[in-house]
Amino acid sequence: MNTFTAYYNFHFGSLNCVAFGSTCEAHNVHSWPTFVLYHNKEEVKRFPGDVTKDMQTLSDFIEEALETIKPGSRSKPGPTLPAPGDKQSKDFQAPAPPPKAAAGAPAPPAEKLSTQEKKPTVVEEDMKAKTPSKPLQATQVKKPTKPTSTPNPLGKSRSFTAETFQRQVTMTQDAWFIKFYAPWCGHCQAMAPNWIQLAKDMKGRLNIGEVNCEVETRLCKDVHLRGYPTILFFRGGERVEYEGLRGLGDFITYANKAIDTGNGVKDIDAVEFKELEEKEEVIFVYFYDHATTSEDFAALERLTLSLIGHARLVKTNSALLAERYKITTWPRLIVSRDGRPTYYTALAPQDMRDFRKVLGWMQSVWLPIVPELTASNSREIMDGKLVVLGILSRERADEFIIAKKEIKSAAIEWMDREIAEFQRERQELRDAKQLRLEEAEDRGDQRGVRNAKQIRINMDRTDHKPVGFAWVDGVFWDRWIRTTYGIEVAKDGEKVIINDEDQRRYWDTTISGNFIMASRTSILETLKNVARSSPTIQPKSTISSFEKFFFDIRSTFSNHPILSIIGIIVAVLGSLWIMRRRRRGGRGYFRLDEKDGLLGGGMNGKVD
């Protein structure tokens, strides 16, 4: 009983609310630091967090608790506290460093040292308990051992059966790039030479394989293929579908990025990040500290497969990068697009480990600010938004560079305007709420005060169509651009159109009737007149008049569900009315050869 802990049965502990947010929420801890005294698993007293600014108040809090446990054991007014920076105080003297032994002098025996050791006093134990322990270091994920054999030693595509596939692909940590095909498939036959060459180029670097779905029908059914060919990348029992083009260069680019992810998420510093910014347009950055847990790192590693071919993912504990992006809580995930950060909002620590939630956010921001429109990303870029599309040509290098720069400048300025408008609208709603609250308080209306406090700031912008920016190679996609928008880059030069894919319409002229040019001013002036709920510039259609008629009917009913229900009811009532009239006329069936039939009677359509 000669120790502080044993005498008072009083213990000190700490809990990291970043790593264990759910536990802190369960104990109603919403600000940090918060001091809570528990006895027999029940809360006795809670102390506000600002005591860290006043050590005397914290000491009085502890002294009061100790006096309650052992009345009369604590002297008034309590221990003398050290000044900031002191290493000892009146009640605690730091142990003197052991004297240095003279050169050549024999070391004292271990028995003698043990007898000279001073037993700790109650005060010393008290100070030890109060001394914070060394922060726990982040526990990194133990990565699976890499395969010892050389991948793809022969430079050939390996043909799999169901048995060899399970043994060599799904049950190992090896990386495999595999195509699923059918011999009769024309696209598969056209792709075959590029696949053979890919296997040669990836010799000693990446395993390449293939599965004949005419033979291995069960295996292909288990994979849930949607068509032929389907190309999948496997690693460690997980997979991701390749959705890019099927050229040899496209395969090699993807394979190289897949190989890079085999080493896990790279840890970088500020210098390495600066070098990476010069090569990558989109970079996801995961900020961690000493409290980041192994579960956090494991969730991070799961994301690498889905990001292959889209964006780069790195992690860092750099103080310089944390200061640059104003990171104050860890772990934190951001995306940097051309140096402009967008932050993933995690309301609780488990939100950082929610694979689907994090990946969904990544997919919404993994495109560059002005991406190139290709066959693989066209739906992602064009659907659900207005898109400022620059139709450019690589053949005119100088104009191409200038046009891309102008479009990017317009995109950045528009994004800044959107952010400023959003913040302004939110502030107006907050001011309106505060005004109602103050008016109710001035009137002494308690019900009005409660109602004003319950008003939620709802930033519903569903009627506000988002705007995206992209560019397309007008020479490579010449036929599609000419038939859809009536533009020939070789003859007309670089042009810009604003496309609304959902409504099958587009704008190619400014408010003055001139063509939209690849310049910041021309784009922004036109965009503000088009992005309204009622555009002031007349759009053009990307489909024919006949197609547009049926499209407008479908859009009307899909956008107005009540109108759709009324239309169905009218159709049902009309059908019932027609059937009743036929029964009254004594006609049980509708015959094609009768006078009122679709063919009107006689064989040649004549009626007597």
Side-chain angles (χ1 to χ4, degrees):
M1 297 292 289
N2 63 341
T3 65
F4 171 85
T5 302
Y7 182 74
Y8 287 102
N9 192 22
F10 192 92
H11 305 266
F12 292 86
S14 63
L15 183 67
N16 187 333
C17 287
V18 175
F20 302 97
S22 57
T23 304
C24 293
E25 289 179 3
H27 289 79
N28 296 320
V29 176
H30 303 292
S31 61
W32 304 279
T34 295
F35 295 87
V36 184
L37 178 63
Y38 292 94
H39 181 63
N40 291 335
K41 299 182 180 180
E42 294 184 0
E43 181 177 331
V44 177
K45 188 174 182 180
R46 182 179 294 251
F47 214 72
D50 57 1
V51 296
T52 54
K53 301 177 182 178
D54 185 357
M55 287 299 297
Q56 184 62 52
T57 309
L58 178 58
S59 176
D60 294 342
F61 170 61
I62 297 173
E63 287 294 317
E64 180 184 349
L66 297 176
E67 182 66 21
T68 304
I69 298 171
K70 295 287 185 179
S73 64
R74 308 303 296 179
S75 61
K76 299 292 184 178
T80 303
L81 300 177
D86 287 352
K87 297 183 179 178
Q88 59 186 19
S89 68
K90 180 180 178 181
D91 296 316
F92 175 78
Q93 301 294 327
K100 294 183 179 180
E111 293 81 0
K112 188 174 181 179
L113 285 175
S114 62
T115 59
Q116 294 175 350
E117 291 178 354
K118 182 181 177 180
K119 293 184 178 180
T121 65
V122 173
V123 176
E124 290 173 341
E125 287 289 340
D126 189 1
M127 297 303 296
K128 284 184 179 179
K130 294 180 183 178
T131 303
S133 59
K134 184 180 180 181
L136 294 175
Q137 296 299 317
T139 305
Q140 298 282 0
V141 177
K142 185 178 180 181
K143 297 176 184 176
T145 55
K146 295 181 181 180
T148 55
S149 59
T150 302
N152 190 13
L154 302 178
K156 294 183 178 180
S157 177
R158 174 73 180 273
S159 182
F160 284 107
T161 63
E163 293 76 14
T164 58
F165 184 88
Q166 183 177 12
R167 186 171 63 252
Q168 298 181 17
V169 179
T170 60
M171 302 299 292
T172 69
Q173 294 293 333
D174 296 351
W176 283 90
F177 201 24
I178 301 175
K179 73 168 181 177
F180 295 80
Y181 71 100
W184 47 262
C185 167
H187 295 294
C188 304
Q189 296 169 4
M191 191 186 75
N194 290 337
W195 197 254
I196 294 172
Q197 186 60 44
L198 172 67
K200 293 179 181 179
D201 292 341
M202 290 294 113
K203 180 178 180 180
R205 301 183 63 212
L206 180 64
N207 293 310
I208 307 296
E210 57 189 61
V211 176
N212 185 342
C213 291
E214 286 289 289
V215 178
E216 303 298 331
T217 55
R218 177 71 183 182
L219 174 58
C220 294
K221 185 178 180 181
D222 292 340
V223 176
H224 302 292
L225 303 180
R226 294 177 296 175
Y228 302 121
T230 294
I231 304 169
L232 301 175
F233 179 76
F234 293 85
R235 189 181 66 220
E238 297 189 6
R239 74 180 195 185
V240 63
E241 184 173 354
Y242 172 77
E243 297 178 339
L245 300 177
R246 297 169 189 157
L248 178 61
D250 302 297
F251 284 150
I252 292 177
T253 299
Y254 184 89
N256 288 330
K257 292 180 179 179
I259 293 170
D260 291 339
T261 63
N263 297 322
V265 181
K266 185 178 180 181
D267 203 329
I268 65 172
D269 56 23
V271 176
E272 293 172 313
F273 182 75
K274 186 176 181 180
E275 295 174 354
L276 193 61
E277 281 186 302
E278 297 175 356
K279 298 183 293 183
E280 303 285 346
E281 287 186 284
V282 182
I283 309 171
F284 288 98
V285 188
Y286 185 87
F287 290 87
Y288 70 92
D289 65 350
H290 65 275
T292 307
T293 65
S294 57
E295 290 83 359
D296 293 318
F297 285 115
L300 180 67
E301 293 290 340
R302 283 194 64 194
L303 297 167
T304 56
L305 272 181
S306 301
L307 293 178
I308 298 175
H310 295 286
R312 188 73 180 272
L313 173 63
V314 296
K315 61 185 177 184
T316 184
N317 60 354
S318 167
L320 291 176
L321 290 176
E323 182 181 0
R324 171 182 171 181
Y325 290 110
K326 298 178 175 59
I327 303 299
T328 56
T329 59
W330 290 263
R332 195 73 192 272
L333 179 63
I334 73 165
V335 61
S336 176
R337 298 187 293 174
D338 291 306
R340 296 173 59 86
T342 303
Y343 298 81
Y344 171 66
T345 304
L347 301 179
Q350 54 265 31
D351 290 342
M352 293 296 295
R353 305 172 196 145
D354 190 329
F355 173 78
R356 295 187 181 278
K357 191 172 184 179
V358 175
L359 181 59
W361 173 79
M362 285 181 157
Q363 289 173 338
S364 69
V365 294
W366 67 16
L367 288 174
I369 293 177
V370 185
E372 179 183 4
L373 184 71
T374 64
S376 59
N377 65 12
S378 58
R379 291 288 117 201
E380 187 178 2
I381 292 175
M382 301 289 273
D383 287 350
K385 61 175 82 76
L386 292 175
V387 178
V388 178
L389 183 64
I391 303 173
L392 312 179
S393 172
R394 286 191 175 96
E395 295 178 354
R396 294 189 284 268
D398 294 339
E399 291 87 345
F400 175 74
I401 294 173
I402 294 173
K404 278 189 65 178
K405 185 177 180 180
E406 288 290 315
I407 296 173
K408 181 175 288 188
S409 297
I412 292 173
E413 185 169 339
W414 181 264
M415 290 168 63
D416 290 339
R417 289 184 185 181
E418 290 284 281
I419 294 171
E421 182 181 353
F422 177 84
Q423 293 174 343
R424 180 183 57 78
E425 291 179 3
R426 183 174 59 182
Q427 188 59 45
E428 288 178 354
L429 292 174
R430 287 176 174 173
D431 292 342
K433 177 180 178 179
Q434 184 63 29
L435 182 61
R436 290 189 60 178
L437 181 61
E438 291 174 357
E439 289 177 348
E441 290 176 345
D442 293 340
R443 296 193 307 268
D445 184 359
Q446 295 302 319
R447 177 180 292 181
V449 171
R450 288 194 300 270
N451 292 337
K453 289 182 177 180
Q454 291 175 356
I455 296 175
R456 293 183 176 273
I457 306 299
N458 184 16
M459 296 299 296
D460 184 10
R461 309 191 89 194
T462 53
D463 59 337
H464 184 85
K465 199 158 191 175
V467 176
F469 294 78
W471 69 275
V472 64
D473 190 333
V475 175
F476 187 84
W477 297 102
D478 173 70
R479 181 178 177 184
W480 170 69
I481 293 170
R482 188 175 65 254
T483 55
T484 306
Y485 305 115
I487 297 175
E488 295 185 47
V489 176
K491 182 174 66 175
D492 302 329
E494 283 76 9
K495 289 287 187 297
V496 174
I497 61 104
I498 301 175
N499 190 76
D500 184 359
E501 188 65 20
D502 295 344
Q503 300 297 324
R504 304 294 192 273
R505 60 183 183 176
Y506 71 97
W507 294 263
D508 62 353
T509 58
T510 64
I511 191 69
S512 60
N514 299 319
F515 285 109
I516 306 173
M517 304 306 296
S519 73
R520 182 184 62 86
T521 305
S522 179
I523 292 171
L524 293 176
E525 286 183 353
T526 308
L527 194 53
K528 69 180 182 181
N529 292 305
V530 168
R532 301 174 179 177
S533 56
S534 299
T536 56
I537 303 176
Q538 186 66 26
K540 297 179 181 179
S541 178
T542 59
I543 54 179
S544 65
S545 301
F546 182 75
E547 291 174 310
K548 190 175 185 304
F549 173 75
F550 290 100
F551 177 79
D552 290 342
I553 295 176
R554 187 185 71 178
S555 299
T556 301
F557 281 101
S558 62
N559 294 332
H560 300 83
I562 296 178
L563 186 61
S564 302
I565 295 172
I566 294 174
I568 294 172
I569 293 174
V570 170
V572 171
L573 293 177
S575 300
L576 293 174
W577 182 78
I578 293 173
M579 291 174 64
R580 289 186 63 183
R581 284 184 58 84
R582 290 173 182 165
R583 286 172 184 164
R584 287 179 181 178
R587 296 174 179 174
Y589 299 93
F590 186 59
R591 299 186 56 176
L592 299 178
D593 57 347
E594 290 181 351
K595 181 177 180 180
D596 294 330
L598 294 178
L599 302 181
M603 295 297 297
N604 55 5
K606 295 181 179 180
V607 180
D608 295 335

